């Protein structure tokens, strides 16, 4: 989704994210916020599935409220931004879609599993709209986006996307289809992590985060091989996906800073 869209447009050089003055800096900030919003659509869904399953439900409630607040803040900043007419059109579509998605999130009946598939599909649609906006903003910036940055963005999304589908399988929803999605995402995460570990761009802060990321992903990857309603496994998936999101978010910021230096 996110990373592949960016790589298709600007995945040539891992060191090509150069500063181009105040306008370029403003667009970089917007790109970062839109990228984060794409990731958060999956985080909202993960929290909702946890609530349906009763897996660390109170923690999921807090994370869900934090996510909604962050989404609203970022959407307001994006809506107030000065961008091209094409980007503005995509921005409006994305903001409108996200607003409707948040309302459905508020109204979702967590006592039923029926609406989860449609809700998860809507989350994917919101993410796609944000990805289209990211691609337009990158093009408007006139800069290329380094492969490591696009990969870090995709890893953020995969931390949540993988957990969503595993937990939906645990809820007994389209189990075979969900587990197939889990396996594809698990392999994609492993491949992309290896790509970052062998990338040329490194500094001590990046190395530290990569050292944290490897063992955390190993824990989650192993847990993903044991689907079912075992509570401890579902809790491990939920908590580890959140830790991985924290680390990959830090990595995205560190790569962004390093590529601008």
């Amino acid at each position: 989704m996110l990373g592949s869209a960016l790589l298709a447009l600007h995945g040539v050089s891992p060191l090509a994210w150069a500063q181009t003055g105040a306008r370029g800096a403003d667009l970089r900030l917007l790109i970062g916020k839109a990228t984060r919003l794409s990731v958060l659509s999956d985080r909202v869904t993960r929290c909702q599935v946890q609530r349906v399953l009763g897996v660390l439900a109170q923690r999921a409630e807090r994370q869900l409220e934090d996510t909604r607040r962050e989404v609203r803040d970022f959407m307001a900043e994006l809506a107030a931004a000065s961008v091209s007419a094409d980007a503005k059109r995509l921005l409006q579509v994305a903001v409108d879609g996200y607003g409707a998605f948040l309302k459905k999130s508020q109204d979702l009946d967590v006592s039923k599993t029926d609406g989860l598939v449609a809700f998860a599909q809507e989350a994917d649609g919101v993410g796609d709209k944000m990805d289209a906006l990211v691609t337009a903003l990158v093009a408007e910036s006139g800069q290329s986006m380094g492969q490591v940055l696009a990969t870090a963005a995709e890893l953020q999304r995969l931390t949540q996307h993988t957990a969503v589908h595993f937990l939906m399988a645990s809820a007994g929803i389209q189990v075979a289809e969900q587990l197939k999605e889990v396996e594809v995402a698990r392999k994609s995460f492993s491949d992309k992590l290896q790509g970052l570990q062998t990338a040329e761009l490194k500094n001590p802060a990046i190395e530290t985060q990569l050292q944290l990321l490897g063992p955390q992903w190993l824990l989650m990857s192993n847990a993903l091989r044991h689907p079912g309603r075992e509570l401890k496994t579902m809790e491990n998936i939920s908590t580890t996906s959140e830790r991985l999101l924290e680390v990959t978010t830090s990595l995205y910021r560190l790569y962004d800073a390093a590529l601008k230096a």
Side-chain angles (χ1 to χ4, degrees):
M1 196 164 104
L2 180 60
S4 59
L6 293 173
L7 287 172
L9 181 62
H10 291 293
V12 179
S13 170
L15 299 175
W17 189 262
Q19 286 183 304
T20 58
R23 177 62 177 156
D26 288 345
L27 283 169
R28 277 197 302 273
L29 288 173
L30 294 178
I31 289 164
K33 293 179 191 304
T35 297
R36 177 71 173 171
L37 284 168
S38 180
V39 173
L40 291 179
S41 65
D42 274 316
R43 191 185 191 216
V44 168
T45 310
R46 192 209 83 217
C47 290
Q48 291 289 29
V49 181
Q50 280 185 236
R51 293 175 69 220
V52 169
L53 289 167
V55 176
L56 302 173
Q58 290 185 335
R59 185 182 303 178
E61 287 272 11
R62 292 194 299 271
Q63 291 170 352
L64 185 57
E65 189 53 42
D66 288 345
T67 304
R68 287 172 178 151
R69 186 163 41 249
E70 186 177 358
V71 166
R72 291 189 182 104
D73 288 346
F74 278 10
M75 285 200 305
E77 292 176 36
L78 284 171
S82 175
V83 294
S84 69
D86 284 345
K88 196 74 173 178
R89 177 180 54 79
L90 290 170
L91 191 157
Q92 192 60 55
V93 169
V95 167
D96 288 348
Y98 227 128
F101 175 66
L102 284 186
K103 186 176 187 312
K104 287 188 179 179
S105 175
Q106 293 277 16
D107 299 338
L108 190 67
D109 184 352
V110 297
S111 68
K112 303 175 181 177
T113 60
D114 299 359
L116 274 180
V117 172
F119 186 74
Q121 289 173 342
E122 184 151 355
D124 288 342
V126 167
D128 289 343
K129 290 180 177 69
M130 277 296 163
D131 295 346
L133 175 60
V134 170
T135 301
L137 291 173
V138 171
E140 184 174 335
S141 74
Q143 305 170 52
S144 58
M145 190 171 190
Q147 183 173 352
V148 289
L149 195 59
T151 299
E154 180 68 355
L155 285 180
Q156 288 180 72
R157 184 187 72 84
L158 286 169
T159 66
Q160 304 305 292
H161 185 76
T162 311
V164 165
H165 288 283
F166 182 91
L167 292 171
M168 287 181 70
S170 298
I173 300 170
Q174 300 176 347
V175 175
E177 183 178 329
Q178 304 299 340
L179 292 181
K180 181 178 179 180
E181 189 71 23
V182 167
E183 184 55 27
V184 170
R186 190 188 66 79
K187 184 177 186 307
S188 180
F189 194 105
S190 295
D191 291 345
K192 290 178 186 302
L193 174 57
Q194 185 177 17
L196 288 187
Q197 289 170 334
T198 58
E200 294 179 15
L201 183 58
K202 293 282 197 319
N203 62 36
I206 289 171
E207 290 276 16
T208 296
Q209 293 303 309
L210 286 174
Q211 288 169 8
L212 291 172
L213 187 57
Q216 287 294 327
W217 171 243
L218 183 61
L219 285 174
M220 185 167 174
S221 182
N222 287 338
L224 290 170
R225 298 177 187 276
H226 302 285
R229 291 298 291 259
E230 206 280 315
L231 181 61
K232 188 63 176 176
T233 300
M234 292 189 291
E235 289 180 345
N236 287 341
I237 291 293
S238 302
T239 56
T240 309
S241 70
E242 189 66 17
R243 293 193 201 105
L244 286 167
L245 178 58
E246 292 173 3
V247 177
T248 51
T249 298
S250 295
L251 269 174
Y252 180 92
R253 292 169 180 159
L254 289 168
Y255 281 126
D256 190 30
L259 289 165
K260 291 185 290 186

